[in-house]
Amino acid sequence: MKVFLRDDILEQITTGAAGFTALTHITARQADTLRWTADGILLLVVNRLFASDALCSLLGVDREQLAASKSYREDCFYLVFPDTVHSPPNQSPTLKWIYSHTMDAKGVVTPRDVIDLLTKAKQFQQDEFHEDALGTTDWVIGSAAIRYGLAEMSKRNATPC
């Protein structure tokens, strides 16, 4: 039998006052922690975004090239999102901003948090569109929506299980 635990849960179980009997039997066969790089997160996001035929058509995205080229993936990402979340100068690019702002205290970025942030941002952007259907925008999902998504993701993460 294999048991898969999140690192934070395993640490909480093993560092308690009572300790953990025969911990070496578990950790001896423990696999490395799965880490998501910024490139992995980018791939995840663009694959989810451009699973939509309508969005691909609207923005002229070629799925084959999307799968083959990191620079094309970045270009397509920035067709949907603004270059920066806050006004320049000295602001990090949106992808880097999302990656660093979803990182936990141990430096781990989980796809769940990125997806949660972007789902909330999408909902915010849809609400904005419904309030002003004749308005124009340069982005599918704008800066205010991304900041809202972060705030909502942070609230969820702060809520005890």
Side-chain angles (χ1 to χ4, degrees), residues 52-61:
S52 163
D53 292 333
L55 191 59
C56 281
S57 178
L58 175 70
L59 299 176
V61 171

Side-chain angles (χ1 to χ4, degrees), residues 133-151:
L134 299 176
T136 61
T137 181
D138 294 330
W139 315 110
V140 176
I141 298 177
S143 298
I146 296 168
R147 290 190 302 271
Y148 173 82
L150 175 66

